[in-house]
Amino acid sequence: MVQNNNPEPRDSVEAEDIVIGEEGVFEEVDLADETPVDDEGFEAGESLGDEAAFDNFYAGRPLGGADAAPVPDAVPLGVVREAAVTRADEKAARSGKGRGRHARHASNLPADEGGSGKSDVPEYMRKSRRMRRILIVIIILLIAILAALAYFGTQLYEEATSSAVQQALTTEQETDAIAADDATDSATTAKVTTVPDLVGILGLTQDEAVEKLQHGAQAAEPRAVNEEGNPIKSEVRVALTAEPADSRTGTPTVYLGLDADGKIIQAGYSTSTSSLGYGSLSFKDAVVTENIIEKTLAEAGIPVPEDAVTLPEDPAEYTSVDTDGKTTTKEYCSFSGEVDIEGVPHTWSAVLSYDYAMANASDNLADTVRTIFVYVNA
């Protein structure tokens, strides 16, 4: 045991003398009163009361003597440094950074030769590859769209051509049918109505005229006429309901013009040309060839010479056309003259009208509305 020869107190552990004996047991000096202690840490003559206290006291402290375990050898510094360097190299190998030329070359090698399997391609080359792929996709899509447009265009063209051919055939059939109908009407149409004697009702009252006309004559309410200088002061329509009605012009009608005394000074009549047996004649043929105006006036008691009615040489004077300048919408012409009946002079007038509005809408010439009007004045 080493005794402390310095009587002064020590301020730190560094100043404390610790000596290791020959058997490796520490001898300690009490820092409080510098009393020497034995190798178990007790003052001379002191000891623990029992074995448990002894174990607790020595728990975690190194044992001396034969039972003491040898102190493990320290790890050489060089080994520790070498291990640290090895770990750094492994970390750098994982991250791909900090490697030399050989390491970079190895990264370009295939995976089966120890490389990473990835080539170090510049950024501009990768962008160029992506752009080529995008352009290829766009070109393929454009080709598909053009092919689809060509296919559908061909289908539409074929369908339109087929429809046009079918429409042309249908129109030709309808034209032939119309022509056949016109020929049949012109040849077989029979006269189904009789023109009343208009001259015979001049000078009569409304009631007297209705009674004389017969044929189911029914008079409508008179309509006042207030025109300065016009001797006709009221007009009355009389429907001949017993006569066959035409599907387009209706029932044959008589028109009465009465003066201020209620006497008839004008009498008129209207009906369809087909009811008079003229069928589907053209406008010019009805006037010039069939003399429809002269014959109807004669039936009404108004005899006129055959040359009394003439049609203008220019058809534009009695023909109306649509805005396209080609489609005829109406043919209308009025005629007038004077005639002596039993020594009494009378004036007469007539109108022939062909309305093609319904025929143009239905594309059927048979739907033309053909009407004739004749008048006689006292």
Side-chain angles (χ1 to χ4, degrees):
M1 178 177 295
V2 180
Q3 293 182 354
N4 188 5
N5 296 324
N6 191 0
E8 294 181 0
R10 297 178 182 179
D11 297 333
S12 63
V13 176
E14 295 178 357
E16 183 179 354
D17 293 331
I18 302 175
V19 180
I20 302 175
E22 296 178 356
E23 298 180 355
V25 179
F26 290 93
E27 291 184 359
E28 300 179 2
V29 178
D30 190 353
L31 298 180
D33 53 7
E34 300 182 358
T35 304
V37 296
D38 58 12
D39 56 356
E40 294 181 358
F42 295 98
E43 295 181 4
E46 291 184 0
S47 62
L48 295 175
D50 51 20
E51 186 177 354
F54 179 82
D55 294 336
N56 292 335
F57 178 78
Y58 279 98
R61 297 181 63 182
L63 297 177
D67 296 334
V71 179
D73 295 336
V75 179
L77 183 57
V79 176
V80 174
R81 185 179 296 110
E82 183 179 356
V85 173
T86 302
R87 295 191 186 94
D89 289 343
E90 291 176 355
K91 183 176 181 180
R94 295 190 188 96
S95 61
K97 298 180 180 179
R99 294 177 294 179
R101 190 189 322 174
H102 182 272
R104 289 195 298 272
H105 176 71
S107 65
N108 294 331
L109 293 175
D112 56 355
E113 296 182 7
S116 61
K118 299 180 180 178
S119 60
D120 190 5
V121 180
E123 181 66 22
Y124 74 91
M125 292 185 66
R126 288 197 295 271
K127 290 183 178 179
S128 177
R129 290 176 181 176
R130 286 197 299 269
M131 183 59 66
R132 284 199 299 271
R133 295 190 187 99
I134 293 173
L135 290 177
I136 291 172
V137 172
I138 292 174
I139 291 172
I140 293 173
L141 291 176
L142 289 176
I143 292 173
I145 292 173
L146 290 176
L149 290 176
Y151 173 77
F152 288 113
T154 303
Q155 295 295 323
L156 290 175
Y157 175 77
E158 292 178 355
E159 184 177 355
T161 303
S162 177
S163 178
V165 172
Q166 185 177 0
Q167 184 176 2
L169 292 175
T170 303
T171 303
E172 184 178 356
Q173 293 174 357
E174 290 180 354
T175 303
D176 295 341
I178 291 172
D181 290 342
D182 291 345
T184 302
D185 290 343
S186 179
T188 62
T189 298
K191 190 173 186 294
V192 295
T193 187
T194 302
V195 180
D197 183 6
L198 298 181
V199 177
I201 61 176
L202 292 176
L204 301 179
T205 63
Q206 173 183 325
D207 294 338
E208 292 172 346
V210 168
E211 183 178 354
K212 187 174 183 177
L213 289 172
Q214 298 182 0
H215 297 283
Q218 294 183 1
E221 291 294 328
R223 184 182 69 85
V225 177
N226 297 318
E227 296 178 1
E228 185 177 356
N230 190 351
I232 298 175
K233 301 303 179 183
S234 62
E235 293 180 344
V236 179
R237 286 191 176 189
V238 181
L240 304 180
T241 58
E243 296 292 324
D246 184 80
S247 60
R248 301 178 184 89
T249 61
T251 303
T253 303
V254 174
Y255 305 92
L256 304 177
L258 289 76
D259 60 9
D261 297 331
K263 301 294 184 177
I264 298 173
I265 59 176
Q266 183 186 70
Y269 173 78
S270 70
T271 188
S272 65
T273 58
S274 59
S275 296
L276 296 177
Y278 292 96
S280 299
L281 295 173
S282 68
F283 191 85
K284 184 176 181 180
D285 288 343
V287 175
V288 177
T289 304
E290 296 297 330
N291 302 113
I292 188 173
I293 301 298
E294 295 92 326
K295 292 178 181 179
T296 304
L297 286 172
E299 288 188 45
I302 311 164
V304 295
E306 292 184 358
D307 58 354
V309 177
T310 58
L311 193 66
E313 294 182 0
D314 186 4
E317 295 185 19
Y318 58 85
T319 304
S320 300
V321 295
D322 204 351
T323 54
D324 60 3
K326 298 179 180 179
T327 305
T328 301
T329 58
K330 192 172 186 179
E331 287 180 301
Y332 180 97
C333 189
S334 61
F335 312 90
S336 61
E338 295 182 355
V339 62
D340 287 340
I341 302 174
E342 296 180 359
V344 179
H346 293 77
T347 60
W348 62 268
S349 62
V351 173
L352 183 64
S353 173
Y354 277 25
D355 190 344
Y356 298 98
M358 187 178 299
N360 292 334
S362 64
D363 197 21
N364 189 348
L365 192 62
D367 290 332
T368 304
V369 179
R370 303 174 178 86
T371 310
I372 185 171
F373 301 83
V374 291
Y375 291 89
V376 61
N377 297 330

